[in-house]
Amino acid sequence: MRFTLRIPGLARDHTDPSPADTLEALTNWHRASYFLPPYRRSATLDAAAQMRTDDMAARNYFGHDTPEGTKGYTTALASLGVSYAWAGENLAMNNWPRETSAQEAIRGLMASPLHRANILEAHDFDAIGIGYSEGNGFRYFAQIFLGGGNV
């Protein structure tokens, strides 16, 4: 018979979090440091954000607009049938190791006033979705923020 002793904080009871989960935790940590409530994670918004990162990695581009000139996140939300009053998107791309890529992504996002504003939005957004993909030697992150929506 085998027994396993688990001591909280010392034993690992689960696998390492994904870079998307780490980015969510860091985003909500920053919100908490400003006494803001955490964003609610939405599986539907995760799917839209994942569509964004998969597309950028597959087609080797980086930007809010697709190569066709459309807003990628509004197209992804529409394809999933999401309605909303307000929506926003943060994108990050880096070539840091997987283990530190989310920390570097949030550092860059918080250093940009417009991206920081989405992360620290106090009234318009209440839900978030996060996508993560790898391709072309880079790690792609997308955060899609939503307010007044049906997710």
Side-chain angles (χ1 to χ4, degrees), residues 104-122:
E104 295 301 328
I106 195 73
R107 183 165 48 160
L109 293 169
M110 290 301 288
S112 163
L114 293 175
H115 296 101
R116 179 185 181 98
N118 282 341
I119 291 169
L120 300 179
E121 171 55 49

Side-chain angles (χ1 to χ4, degrees), residues 15 17 24-25 40 64 103 106 131 136-137 150:
T15 60
E24 176 197 15
R40 176 179 46 87
H64 297 289
Q103 291 89 337
I106 195 73
N136 313 305
N150 64 346

